[in-house]
Amino acid sequence: MNILTAPAFFAGLALSLSLIMAIGPQNAHVMRMGLRREHLWLTVAICVVTDVALIAVGVGGLAQLGGLPAKVLGALTGAGAVLLFLYGAQAMQRFVRPAAPAVPGARQDAGPGMSRRRAVGLAVAMSWLNPHAWLDTAVLMGTASLAYARPDNAVFGLGAAAGSLLWFVALGVAMWSLGRRLTAPWIWRALDGLVALMMWGTALWLLAGLV
């Protein structure tokens, strides 16, 4: 990157941060894993790799093709809505039936430990089956990159990827730090209730768009 391509890089960075900062399913999942202090950096890495891959798809050709076909977008949206309903149901179950208080000196959080395999599966699902991730990265950023001719469009994509990396790392660090302090059971129960309502609300909004 040089002084001529710097504007494209920072434009991609700014757009990426502005889109990703909204608290959606992917961010909520990272927040929960960070507060639990459990498989956080594995989750962050999967989210970043997903964003970078989708940005590459968008900047590399999806925008030039006119975006996702209607049937593909509909199927992706439907799958994402189902995922959000299931994930919201799990959060609501934890809200209705919170885990028993931990013994003194044990980790006091939202329930039993999660296996690495399950953590990977959830992170992949929340990233690749999240319609917002596809729309924000592949479609919106891919379309925005059309404002720049080659090679500036690639620099724009690099800036967008840098924004994703910066955001998820910062979010992970913040939640990891807060996880040491937020040990009261009612905080975890309130978080689960909010996550459930947000997931279900997003799922209903996605399904309404298919009608």
Side-chain angles (χ1 to χ4, degrees), residues 140-162:
L140 293 180
M141 291 185 192
T143 301
S145 70
L146 293 177
Y148 301 92
R150 295 181 181 179
D152 285 357
N153 64 331
V155 176
F156 178 91
L158 288 176

Side-chain angles (χ1 to χ4, degrees), residues 32-143:
R32 179 171 181 79
M33 299 302 287
L35 291 174
R36 289 175 62 98
R37 300 171 68 81
E38 192 172 36
H39 303 300
L40 171 63
W41 302 116
L42 177 62
T43 300
V44 166
I46 291 173
C47 290
V48 172
V49 169
T50 298
D51 275 9
V52 171
L54 293 178
I55 289 169
V57 169
V59 174
L62 186 59
Q64 285 84 345
L65 295 175
L68 292 172
K71 290 184 178 180
V72 174
L73 183 57
L76 179 65
T77 300
V82 171
L83 172 71
L84 294 177
F85 272 121
L86 293 176
Y87 195 81
Q90 293 177 358
M92 183 56 68
Q93 184 178 24
R94 292 191 298 266
F95 174 78
V96 174
R97 296 182 179 179
V103 297
R107 187 177 62 121
Q108 298 181 13
D109 59 15
M114 181 184 298
S115 68
R116 180 181 294 270
R117 184 174 183 178
R118 175 170 165 75
V120 170
L122 279 175
V124 170
M126 296 303 294
S127 298
W128 287 98
L129 294 181
N130 179 7
H132 284 294
W134 281 80
L135 292 173
D136 288 350
T137 53
V139 179
L140 293 180
M141 291 185 192
T143 301

